[in-house]
Amino acid sequence: MESDDDKTRTHVVLTKGTMVSHYRSFQMVVASIVLLACALHADDSIPDSTLPSFSHLAEQPQASCDDTGRFSYCLSGLAAIGSEEVNTGFGFGMAGFFNGFLPLVPRAGFDLFISSLDVEGLPDAEFIMFSPALGLMLRKRSGKLRPYIGAGINLHFNHLILDEPADVSISGYDSTTRARQIDLGWGIAPHLRLGLIIPVGGRLGLLIEGRLMSVSHSADIDYRDCLTGDEWKGTVDYSMPSAWFSVGIIRDP
């Protein structure tokens, strides 16, 4: 019986402790509700004009979700009107733009141009140019038509592909003269750009661009006379195409 009484007392003590804990929790809940009701009543009594506006805080997360970044990307095809020494050719280009300083837009990209060489004293050959470029543009922020103008520099790396690179006949020399090596070299040229971006839907736009630049190069040639074995060096000057046109697609944020 004593053990049963002990169990009963223990049970009663636990029950009382639980009731006390529930009672205190109930008091806290009631107090919280009263405080909340007072706060709401106080807010209702204050004119809206005196309340701070938090609308910009609510709109900020939405703006960050819609923001896709400050970079634009472009892929375009290009054509260049030939010079006296380099024939009309075609290629493609890629470029990236940073829009953090609008309306000023820094630009970086490269072009790959393929044509053929037509220089007196040199054999006919495929002419390939790889040209990284840096520039700065001034462009319109928005609208159905977004014209821009820009300037920058191009770095040219030129290369020839010959059928017989080590043994090519040279026009204007006798049959024993050969060009053993032709080094077209590289160079830097300033350029001017004038273009237009036409939004076509979503974040895509049609890019139309014209570019002007003027640059001349010298090709270093190693000659060899196959009959006598004599070797000598020479140079041939040539000009790069000056008018370039591009049409492509740009992704604008």
Side-chain angles (χ1 to χ4, degrees):
M1 294 296 295
E2 291 179 359
S3 60
D4 293 341
D5 292 340
D6 292 339
K7 290 181 181 180
T8 303
R9 292 192 193 97
T10 303
H11 178 71
V12 171
V13 171
L14 289 176
T15 302
K16 287 183 179 180
T18 304
M19 291 177 62
V20 171
S21 178
H22 288 174
Y23 179 70
R24 290 178 178 174
S25 300
F26 177 75
Q27 286 181 326
M28 293 177 64
V29 171
V30 172
S32 300
I33 294 175
V34 172
L35 291 175
L36 180 59
C38 293
L40 292 175
H41 179 72
D43 289 342
D44 293 338
S45 62
I46 299 176
D48 293 339
S49 58
T50 61
L51 292 176
S53 175
F54 297 97
S55 58
H56 64 284
L57 296 178
E59 294 175 357
Q60 191 171 11
Q62 182 66 27
S64 63
C65 293
D66 294 339
D67 187 11
T68 58
R70 296 182 176 182
F71 293 92
S72 300
Y73 308 93
C74 175
L75 177 63
S76 60
L78 62 88
I81 297 178
S83 64
E84 293 183 359
E85 295 85 7
V86 180
N87 295 322
T88 298
F90 303 91
F92 72 92
M94 299 180 66
F97 310 85
F98 179 68
N99 302 301
F101 307 118
L102 283 173
L104 292 176
V105 180
R107 167 182 180 146
F110 72 88
D111 297 318
L112 180 64
F113 172 75
I114 300 176
S115 180
S116 57
L117 195 65
D118 186 14
V119 178
E120 184 178 358
L122 291 181
D124 294 336
E126 296 299 318
F127 179 84
I128 299 177
M129 182 193 72
F130 178 76
S131 178
L134 294 174
L136 185 65
M137 305 188 320
L138 179 65
R139 59 167 286 187
K140 188 177 179 182
R141 294 173 179 264
S142 60
K144 294 183 178 180
L145 298 178
R146 304 175 187 177
Y148 64 86
I149 187 172
I153 57 173
N154 282 65
L155 180 63
H156 301 284
F157 296 95
N158 304 324
H159 181 67
L160 284 183
I161 297 180
L162 304 174
D163 292 336
E164 300 177 8
D167 189 18
V168 177
S169 297
I170 301 298
S171 174
Y173 293 84
D174 58 42
S175 59
T176 63
T177 303
R178 300 288 184 267
R180 300 182 62 234
Q181 182 177 349
I182 302 175
D183 183 12
L184 295 180
W186 61 276
I188 298 177
H191 69 253
L192 293 176
R193 297 178 187 268
L194 182 64
L196 179 66
I197 298 175
I198 306 174
V200 295
R203 296 187 179 93
L204 296 180
L206 176 66
L207 182 142
I208 303 173
E209 179 182 277
R211 185 187 351 159
L212 295 175
M213 58 183 171
S214 178
V215 59
S216 298
H217 287 294
S218 293
D220 296 327
I221 309 173
D222 293 337
Y223 294 110
R224 181 177 184 273
D225 191 306
C226 297
L227 183 61
T228 64
D230 294 338
E231 297 184 0
W232 68 96
K233 293 181 180 294
T235 60
V236 174
D237 296 330
Y238 68 98
S239 298
M240 297 287 297
S242 57
W244 299 68
F245 300 94
S246 301
V247 176
I249 295 295
I250 183 171
R251 182 188 182 279
D252 238 356

